[in-house]
Amino acid sequence: MGSPWDRGPRPPRKGPPRDRGASGPGERVPSERAPAGERPRRPSAEAPASPGAPPRPARREEVRLYGLNAVQAVFERRPQAIRKLYLLQARVHALRPLLAWCVQNRVGYRVVENEDLDRLAASSHHEGVVADVLRSDPLPLEDWLASLAPGAPALALWLDGVGNPHNFGAILRSAAHFGAAVLLPERSTLALSGAAARVAEGGAEGVALVRLPGNDAALARLHAAGFASAATVVRDGEDLFAMQPQPRLVYVMGAEGEGMDAGLAGACQHRVSIAGTGAVESLNVAAATAVFLAHWAAARR
């Protein structure tokens, strides 16, 4: 079973809530998380506007992505987000349409050596290309719900505490494959990074990221829109393979080790488990997510 559920719901914590999305026990960020490459660069300071001048529009943050499919997906879906490109000479032919677009739109690119890309990405898994792109902000929940066709089936993943960028990237890849949205809690710091985008293999650009309000308000709005809610737990839940999933469904996935917030799990309409042999305690959260999504997709066929 998936790991959010690895330990089942967490007991309510005392004291002020902590931000979610940071790696919890059992979900450690690998050492190649690329602090320099993954962090959005802040724009340089600007002089204040003169009195009476209209306010300047907010400048969007950039994120450094790497990996051939990740960069190609940005070019195919939102080329205007690309701000700078670095590549190996060996990638020039494969990226010729992107380079031509950069020339036409005066976007800088540079052919560099492999060690330069290692440094820029803070990873050796860049596959010969690194790009600085504008970060795409998550949609508000109301905007995402409004974009759905009335009564149409829809699937979403609520990530309650998932923080490992490799797990996040694998979840995005599965979500893109099965057409699911990804819902991020109000306090979650989880965001697309270079590592997540590379693991997603282009899937990050094909998934709707949605920012939720507080748990109670988000669940109420989803239920009102016809979504059933299912907390995924490692044991003592309904057998996933014995149930018929509703056409509109949101699976709540918790972090490995910690599980999900006990209050959130208790507020869901269902608790669902993946039956297995018992040879291992549970599935990794990304692997479990793929199982849940595939089961819903099979029922729609």
Side-chain angles (χ1 to χ4, degrees):
M1 215 139 0
S3 51
W5 2 323
D6 266 344
R7 305 294 178 189
R10 296 188 303 273
R13 287 186 299 268
K14 296 180 180 180
R18 64 173 173 81
D19 285 355
R20 307 305 305 280
S23 297
E27 180 154 314
R28 302 187 183 279
V29 178
S31 59
E32 67 172 54
R33 66 184 183 279
E38 316 282 46
R39 277 204 306 261
R41 280 83 46 81
R42 298 183 182 278
S44 57
E46 298 179 2
S50 58
R56 295 188 180 96
R59 296 181 64 175
R60 293 171 61 190
E61 291 182 334
E62 294 179 10
V63 59
R64 180 160 287 169
L65 303 184
Y66 54 88
L68 187 60
N69 288 336
V71 172
Q72 288 278 44
V74 175
F75 175 52
E76 291 168 5
R77 290 179 177 266
R78 50 187 188 109
Q80 71 285 351
I82 298 173
R83 287 294 175 265
K84 192 168 289 185
L85 187 70
Y86 307 90
L87 71 158
L88 298 180
Q89 181 65 43
R91 286 299 189 195
V92 168
H93 180 73
L95 295 171
R96 193 169 297 280
L98 172 53
L99 297 179
W101 184 90
C102 288
V103 171
Q104 293 168 4
N105 292 273
R106 298 184 178 180
V107 172
Y109 73 87
R110 184 179 300 172
V111 176
V112 297
E113 300 300 321
N114 191 70
E115 54 267 29
D116 296 318
L117 292 186
D118 289 350
R119 177 180 54 81
L120 288 165
S123 170
S124 61
H125 301 293
H126 46 69
E127 300 173 352
V129 60
V130 172
D132 293 338
V133 305
L134 291 177
R135 187 182 295 281
S136 182
D137 295 328
L139 293 170
L141 176 60
E142 288 297 331
D143 290 0
W144 175 67
L145 290 174
S147 72
L148 302 177
L155 181 62
L157 297 165
W158 181 321
L159 303 186
D160 181 54
V162 175
N164 184 304
H166 286 190
N167 277 340
F168 185 39
I171 288 170
L172 289 172
R173 185 172 183 175
S174 293
H177 184 77
F178 291 109
V182 170
L183 313 183
L184 304 176
E186 181 181 33
R187 295 178 181 272
S188 172
T189 59
L190 191 62
L192 185 67
S193 65
R198 182 188 64 81
V199 174
E201 292 288 355
E205 295 297 318
V207 175
L209 292 180
V210 180
R211 179 67 67 189
L212 298 174
N215 288 354
D216 292 344
L219 272 179
R221 188 64 193 90
L222 287 163
H223 290 161
F227 281 84
S229 56
T232 59
V233 295
V234 72
R235 60 181 65 85
D236 300 328
E238 301 174 58
D239 182 355
L240 174 69
F241 303 116
M243 63 182 291
Q244 179 71 16
Q246 289 90 333
R248 284 195 169 192
L249 181 61
V250 55
Y251 283 119
V252 182
M253 315 295 297
E256 294 193 32
E258 286 190 331
M260 70 185 67
D261 180 82
L264 175 58
C268 289
Q269 296 165 327
H270 303 277
R271 292 165 61 87
V272 186
S273 300
I274 299 175
T277 63
V280 293
E281 183 181 16
S282 66
L283 294 176
N284 167 273
V285 63
T289 295
V291 174
F292 283 115
L293 297 183
H295 182 254
W296 182 91
R300 301 279 69 75
R301 293 178 186 273

